[in-house]
């Protein structure tokens, strides 16, 4: 069974590597570099202005670290057919799940190191700590995450109704341990993390005798992969994506205004895909909310300009895959619709969405600036970015996708 997991893991990693080269393209890396540089500069200036023994800073460190502990799910790599073909091997599945557990630790451990390091300047200023405290904090966080993944694995068994109680205890214990580490001594979290990891290993793995809940295990793995594929699908086509559609009756007023004639065929399709599909609408709302929150807390005009322009570019870039959503629909090939209508319609839709986002960014980003000149600058730049993206960048991007 160990060999089976390694075979599946190798296939999974090869597939992910093929997709990641489309995700981490030049545009995305450049945008992330600019965003991280701006956030790092703003974060550095903010930390320098904070007083020592800053209580909100301590609470923020605890809250962020608790949230980071939730990153990463248990990876089982199980398939639908396993409920039939691997059921006779259920007693040997424990070695298979041990391999999944070890692999599941990689992403959370790396995330805890990176985000823990990111929070260290705020911790040093707020709690009057030392940068050397990073090591006991991270090791303790690793122990807490090990216990969390033990709990995730325990949920794969039948009759695991007590999992919610174990989660409540883990959450309260983690908050208490991190609070003591921030307010008292950072070394407190190290034995706490190791201790709860050992206890959960003994109670939720070694002493568990229940059979596996195969349907639940397969469904959880399918949901995990769908989340990954939906993210990758924003950059390239992924055949494994299963689109989900929601009615959203409250938006019918917008859709009924679209004429039902040949000249608006793709507007009819794209608008419904955007508003009723969960992938693109959710992405648009998340980026608008995150960009608006960041602009609200920025009080440097040129940084606001760059940050808002970056988020408008990201919104447009992530919505470009709408272009290929109906390329395999037979009716769009048979119906006599000019090929130019597809590009023209997408440009119109993206322009409206980007202009709405530009107005929201201007309203929220203008709050820190009393000068109407600064507010006018924000609006002018954001509108210019929306126009430049739809009329200059979008045709080049679509041509590249078509080629």
């Amino acid at each position: 069974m160990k060999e089976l997991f390694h075979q599946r893991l190798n296939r999974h990693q090869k597939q992910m590597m093929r997709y990641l080269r489309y995700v981490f393209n030049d545009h995305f890396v450049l945008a992330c570099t600019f965003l991280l540089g701006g956030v790092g500069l703003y974060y550095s200036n903010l930390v320098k202005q904070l007083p020592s023994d800053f209580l909100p800073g301590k609470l923020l460190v605890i809250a962020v670290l608790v949230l980071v502990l939730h990153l990463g799910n248990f990876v089982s790599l199980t398939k639908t057919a396993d409920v039939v073909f691997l059921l006779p091997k259920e007693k040997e599945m424990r070695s298979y799940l041990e391999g999944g557990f070890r692999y599941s630790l990689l992403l959370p451990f790396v995330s805890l190191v990176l985000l823990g390091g990111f929070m260290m300047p705020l911790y040093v200023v707020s709690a009057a700590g030392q940068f050397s405290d990073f090591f006991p904090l991270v090791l303790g966080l690793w122990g807490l995450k090990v216990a969390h993944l033990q709990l995730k694995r325990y949920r794969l068994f039948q009759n695991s109704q007590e999992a919610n109680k174990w989660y409540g205890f883990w959450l309260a214990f983690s908050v208490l341990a991190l609070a003591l580490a921030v307010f008292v001594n950072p070394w407190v979290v190290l034995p706490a993390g190791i201790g709860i990891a050992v206890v959960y290993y003994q109670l939720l793995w070694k002493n568990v005798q229940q059979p596996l809940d195969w349907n639940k295990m397969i469904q959880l793995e399918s949901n995990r992969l769908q989340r990954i594929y939906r993210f990758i699908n924003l950059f390239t086509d992924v055949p494994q994506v299963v689109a989900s559609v929601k009615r959203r009756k409250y938006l019918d007023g917008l859709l009924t205004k679209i004429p039902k004639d040949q000249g608006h065929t793709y507007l009819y399709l794209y608008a419904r895909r955007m508003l009723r599909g969960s992938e693109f609408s959710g992405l648009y709302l998340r980026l608008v909310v995150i960009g608006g929150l960041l602009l609200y807390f920025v009080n440097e005009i040129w940084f606001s300009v760059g940050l808002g322009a970056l988020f408008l570019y990201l919104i447009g870039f992530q919505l470009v895959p709408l272009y290929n959503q109906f390329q395999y629909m037979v009716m769009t090939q048979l119906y006599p619709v000019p090929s130019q209508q597809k590009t023209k319609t997408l440009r119109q839709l993206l322009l409206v969405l980007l202009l709405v986002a530009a107005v929201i960014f201007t309203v929220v980003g203008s709050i820190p600036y009393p000068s109407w000149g600064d507010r006018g600058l924000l609006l002018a730049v954001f509108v210019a970015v929306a126009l430049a993206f739809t009329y200059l960048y979008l045709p080049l991007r679509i041509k590249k996708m078509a080629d």
Side-chain angles (χ1 to χ4, degrees):
M1 298 304 289
K2 291 182 179 179
E3 184 62 28
L4 175 63
F5 179 80
H6 289 309
Q7 290 176 359
R8 290 186 173 182
L9 180 59
N10 289 334
R11 288 197 295 266
H12 175 72
Q13 289 177 332
K14 289 179 180 178
Q15 185 183 50
M16 290 297 106
M17 291 303 296
R18 286 198 299 268
Y19 285 136
L20 287 179
R21 64 192 179 103
Y22 296 105
V23 175
F24 293 101
N25 53 58
D26 296 340
H27 299 89
F28 185 72
V29 172
L30 180 62
C32 288
T33 302
F34 180 80
L35 178 61
L36 290 175
V39 171
L41 178 62
Y42 178 74
Y43 179 52
S44 175
N45 294 332
L46 177 64
V47 169
K48 293 176 182 178
Q49 299 173 4
L50 295 178
S52 58
D53 197 22
F54 185 56
L55 179 59
K58 297 179 182 179
L59 298 178
L60 181 60
V61 170
I62 296 171
V64 170
L65 293 180
V66 170
L67 290 176
V68 174
L69 284 172
H70 288 80
L71 292 177
N73 290 311
F74 185 82
V75 180
S76 65
L77 298 180
T78 48
K79 303 179 183 296
T80 304
D82 291 347
V83 71
V84 176
F85 295 101
L86 292 185
L87 185 60
K89 295 282 189 178
E90 181 166 344
K91 292 184 178 180
E92 302 176 28
M93 280 296 292
R94 295 183 73 89
S95 60
Y96 179 95
L97 294 177
E98 286 178 350
F101 181 83
R102 287 191 292 269
Y103 178 71
S104 303
L105 291 173
L106 296 179
L107 177 61
F109 276 15
V110 173
S111 301
L112 287 170
V113 171
L114 296 178
L115 294 175
F118 181 79
M119 297 303 297
M120 282 305 295
L122 181 59
Y123 162 79
V124 170
V125 172
S126 302
Q130 304 291 330
F131 281 101
S132 58
D133 297 339
F134 172 77
F135 298 102
L137 279 173
V138 167
L139 292 175
L141 289 170
W142 282 0
L144 294 173
K145 186 58 189 180
V146 168
H148 186 238
L149 283 177
Q150 297 285 0
L151 177 59
K152 291 276 188 179
R153 182 170 57 181
Y154 174 69
R155 291 180 183 272
L156 304 181
F157 291 89
Q158 297 180 19
N159 303 319
S160 57
Q161 295 87 348
E162 295 182 354
N164 291 333
K165 296 180 180 179
W166 287 111
Y167 170 75
F169 176 80
W170 172 86
L171 181 61
F173 184 86
S174 300
V175 173
L176 178 61
L178 288 172
L180 292 175
V182 172
F183 285 94
V184 182
N185 192 308
W187 287 91
V188 173
V189 73
L190 180 56
I194 296 175
I196 194 172
V198 172
V199 170
Y200 271 43
Y201 172 77
Q202 196 67 33
L203 297 178
L204 304 183
W205 178 245
K206 296 294 289 185
N207 295 341
V208 173
Q209 303 298 328
Q210 298 99 315
L212 286 169
D213 189 338
W214 287 88
N215 291 328
K216 183 179 180 181
M217 178 170 58
I218 293 170
Q219 185 60 47
L220 289 174
E221 180 62 16
S222 176
N223 294 340
R224 186 189 71 85
L225 290 175
Q226 282 299 310
R227 289 192 293 270
I228 297 174
Y229 291 143
R230 278 197 294 269
F231 173 74
I232 297 174
N233 193 53
L234 300 174
F235 302 87
T236 185
D237 292 333
V238 180
Q240 294 89 343
V241 170
V242 179
S244 60
V245 179
K246 296 184 179 180
R247 177 70 175 85
R248 296 192 175 105
K249 188 176 181 179
Y250 53 88
L251 296 175
D252 284 352
L254 297 174
L255 297 175
T256 53
K257 296 180 180 179
I258 301 175
K260 297 180 177 62
D261 55 36
Q262 180 177 343
H264 298 84
T265 300
Y266 275 102
L267 182 59
Y268 180 93
L269 294 173
Y270 283 149
R272 279 162 172 76
R273 185 69 182 89
M274 178 67 198
L275 295 179
R276 291 178 175 173
S278 58
E279 295 88 355
F280 292 101
S281 59
L283 173 70
Y284 178 79
L285 291 175
R286 283 193 296 270
L287 288 176
V288 169
V289 170
I290 294 173
L293 288 175
L294 291 176
L295 287 170
Y296 177 78
F297 291 104
V298 173
N299 54 11
E300 171 59 42
I301 182 62
W302 291 110
F303 186 44
S304 296
V305 168
L307 187 64
L310 173 62
F311 267 89
L312 287 172
Y313 169 78
L314 290 176
I315 291 172
F317 182 81
Q318 303 288 22
L319 296 181
V320 170
L322 265 172
Y323 180 80
N324 290 325
Q325 286 297 297
F326 302 100
Q327 66 175 342
Y328 299 117
M329 181 181 288
V330 177
M331 298 306 297
T332 59
Q333 307 297 327
L334 297 178
Y335 199 67
V337 179
S339 58
Q340 297 83 359
Q341 184 189 127
K342 190 175 181 181
T343 303
K344 181 181 177 181
T345 300
L346 182 63
R347 184 172 64 239
Q348 293 174 345
L349 181 60
L350 288 188
L351 180 60
V352 171
L353 293 173
L354 290 178
L355 288 177
V356 170
V359 172
I360 295 175
F361 286 170
T362 302
V363 172
V364 177
S366 298
I367 295 176
Y369 309 113
S371 170
W372 285 101
D374 292 341
R375 297 175 179 180
L377 176 63
L378 290 177
L379 179 61
V381 172
F382 294 164
V383 171
V385 171
L387 293 172
F389 185 91
T390 51
Y391 286 99
L392 298 179
Y393 175 77
L394 183 62
L396 298 176
R397 178 68 178 172
I398 290 177
K399 184 178 184 300
K400 183 178 179 181
M401 292 169 62
D403 293 340

